[in-house]
Amino acid sequence: MSDAPVSGRRVVHLRDARVTYGRGATAFEALRGVDLGIDAGELSLLLGPSGSGKTTLLQVMGCLLRSSGGEVALFGHSLAGLDAEALARLRLRHVGFVFQHYNLFPTLRAWENVAIALDLKGVPRARRRGEAERLLDRLGLADRRDHFPAELSGGQKQRVAIARALAGAPELLLADEPTAALDGRTGQEVAAVLHELAHREGCAVVVVSHDPRMERFGDRILHLEDGRLIDDRRPSAPDAGAGFVHGPSP
Ligand code: ADP
Ligand code: MG
């Protein structure tokens, strides 16, 4: 596994992925046989109604949940033979997560929230602050490095969370409804940042949303319903996020 992402490289491979919650009379099939390949360098938008299995699918891609059948591979390596510890290592090295509610530490400054992730990824103490600040700068937060989460807007908090998810340069970035708590315009700015990360850094980015307005930011649109992928298409529209990439539009 190389550390540098290569555009177009297959990052996630799923064949007949299945997840059942519970057992017996209360068993519920949340994923009912999903076939899917995710490549580096593009943003895949995963849409579907509440309860359709979007979070479950994201967790399977991020090695947080195991598929009960079929095949799951990351970077060409099957996960089948890996124990929980090996899965956790793989996740730590190669996968970044972004959540709806930011999950920042309220008592830590923006740069410290990012530095914690760098610590987990094994970056030596002496390099953490500089690297955290570089990541925040990239997300347009150069003047917010020393702020506490309570002093940031929703969109800024989410950008800190994205900077944190980028600690250690993961090849796969998974975002679960990252714009759901944001107003329309701020949500679009965050979506555009994620879109740019896929295109400029070559990350494979998968964004879950139940908001069809986010469609324009997907290079690829996946629709999930009742645990099944019912649509998978690539809108031909040119670079959807372009207008938002370098900050708020006028
Ligand atoms: P989505 O993210 O699309 O809203 P989820 O993947 O969270 O959907 O859930 C899919 C289905 O699985 C839902 O019906 C949900 O209630 C059920 N489910 C999710 N997690 C669990 C769990 N830990 N135990 C039992 N059922 C669950
Ligand atoms: Mg969900």
Side-chain angles (χ1 to χ4, degrees), residues 15-241:
R15 189 183 55 75
D16 196 29
R18 294 177 177 276
V19 171
T20 301
Y21 291 113
R23 51 176 61 195
T26 61
F28 182 82
E29 279 186 88
L31 284 189
R32 304 172 189 225
V34 171
D35 297 318
L36 180 61
I38 297 287
D39 295 333
E42 62 179 17
L43 188 151
S44 301
L45 191 66
L46 181 57
L47 293 170
S50 180
S52 57
K54 304 183 297 296
T55 294
T56 303
L57 182 54
L58 213 65
Q59 290 182 332
V60 169
M61 292 191 218
C63 316
L64 285 165
L65 262 184
R66 276 182 196 277
S67 169
S68 61
E71 206 175 86
V72 180
L74 247 60
F75 319 105
H77 298 261
S78 169
L79 304 188
L82 301 185
D83 61 16
E85 201 182 309
L87 282 181
R89 260 201 315 274
L90 196 67
R91 197 160 59 226
L92 190 64
R93 275 192 57 192
H94 301 284
V95 188
F97 292 93
V98 177
F99 306 96
Q100 177 179 340
H101 295 294
Y102 328 122
N103 298 3
L104 300 177
F105 292 103
T107 58
L108 299 182
R109 298 175 190 279
W111 76 266
E112 292 169 320
N113 265 283
V114 179
I116 279 218
L118 292 164
D119 183 11
L120 280 174
K121 309 233 169 186
V123 175
R125 176 182 289 273
R127 286 193 6 230
R128 282 179 217 149
R129 183 164 191 164
E131 175 67 7
E133 292 183 346
R134 193 183 63 78
L135 286 165
L136 289 170
D137 293 358
R138 238 166 77 193
L139 272 297
L141 293 167
D143 58 346
R144 294 290 183 277
R145 296 162 165 179
D146 296 327
H147 286 54
F148 292 99
E151 300 167 337
L152 300 171
S153 71
Q156 289 168 343
K157 279 188 268 217
Q158 194 56 297
R159 281 187 281 147
V160 174
I162 293 169
R164 181 183 55 188
L166 291 176
E171 291 94 331
L172 176 61
L173 188 65
L174 302 174
D176 199 351
E177 310 226 15
T179 63
L182 304 173
D183 64 44
R185 178 169 144 177
T186 311
Q188 293 197 333
E189 283 165 23
V190 165
V193 163
L194 292 166
H195 182 264
E196 188 192 42
L197 285 172
H199 284 245
R200 203 192 270 175
E201 319 281 331
C203 257
V205 181
V206 183
V207 178
V208 164
S209 176
H210 60 242
D211 184 353
R213 287 176 308 178
M214 287 295 150
E215 276 200 31
R216 51 192 295 251
F217 296 97
D219 301 301
R220 183 178 181 189
I221 311 292
L222 305 163
H223 266 274
L224 207 59
E225 219 169 279
D226 294 329
R228 290 193 180 87
L229 212 48
I230 58 159
D231 194 17
D232 178 355
R233 63 197 156 81
R234 292 169 187 281
S236 47
D239 215 23

